[in-house]
Amino acid sequence: GKHRIVIPCLGHFKEEYEKVSKLYMNNKIQTTRYTLLNFLPRNLFEQFHRVANLYFLFLVVLNWVPLVEAFQKEITMLPLLGVLTIIAVKDGLEDYSRYKMDKQINNLVTKVYSR
């Protein structure tokens, strides 16, 4: 496979280092689960893995069938939408705090000792 080239002095080899360093992963810490593009679909996917949310979704879908309709259609959706919204806001805030912590850790000044 691939081999690694270590260049201790960047003076004359800066261009070669930049070309070779793109082939390897960096050591950045990333503990966030979401991005702005995948937050809504991924969060809904995770929330509907909970049995309680699936139960309330089943009740909402069942209430849209005219023969089984027990309440007004909109009223049945309110508990599910409320729970989904509250959990989504909580997950978003937690993920944002993880993002800020990752950014803080990734920007720490480090010392590299060499012989």
Side-chain angles (χ1 to χ4, degrees):
K2 295 182 179 179
H3 61 281
R4 186 172 180 143
I5 301 172
V6 178
I7 305 168
C9 177
L10 296 180
H12 301 294
F13 303 103
K14 187 173 182 168
E15 294 173 7
E16 184 179 349
Y17 171 75
E18 289 174 356
K19 180 176 71 172
V20 171
S21 66
K22 292 178 184 175
L23 300 174
Y24 300 100
M25 295 291 296
N26 59 16
N27 60 349
K28 228 180 205 186
I29 293 174
Q30 183 177 1
T31 59
T32 56
R33 281 191 264 170
Y34 307 109
T35 63
L36 289 176
L37 295 177
N38 74 359
F39 176 75
L40 190 62
R42 190 167 184 184
N43 187 269
L44 288 174
F45 178 76
E46 289 176 6
Q47 287 193 48
F48 282 115
H49 272 78
R50 297 183 181 125
V51 178
N53 290 343
L54 284 175
Y55 172 73
F56 283 111
L57 179 66
F58 174 73
L59 289 179
V60 168
V61 171
L62 193 62
N63 205 30
W64 283 85
V65 176
L67 295 174
V68 189
E69 183 178 345
F71 308 109
Q72 290 181 342
K73 297 172 186 170
E74 296 79 16
I75 291 177
T76 312
M77 293 171 44
L78 287 178
L80 180 64
L81 290 177
V83 168
L84 293 179
T85 303
I86 290 170
I87 294 174
V89 168
K90 179 192 69 85
D91 288 346
L93 291 174
E94 286 177 355
D95 204 56
Y96 181 69
S97 67
R98 273 194 231 99
Y99 166 76
K100 287 189 337 187
M101 186 62 80
D102 291 348
K103 191 173 179 180
Q104 181 182 9
I105 290 172
N106 288 329
N107 290 327
L108 287 175
V109 176
T110 57
K111 292 182 180 180
V112 178
Y113 294 101
S114 63
R115 296 181 184 183

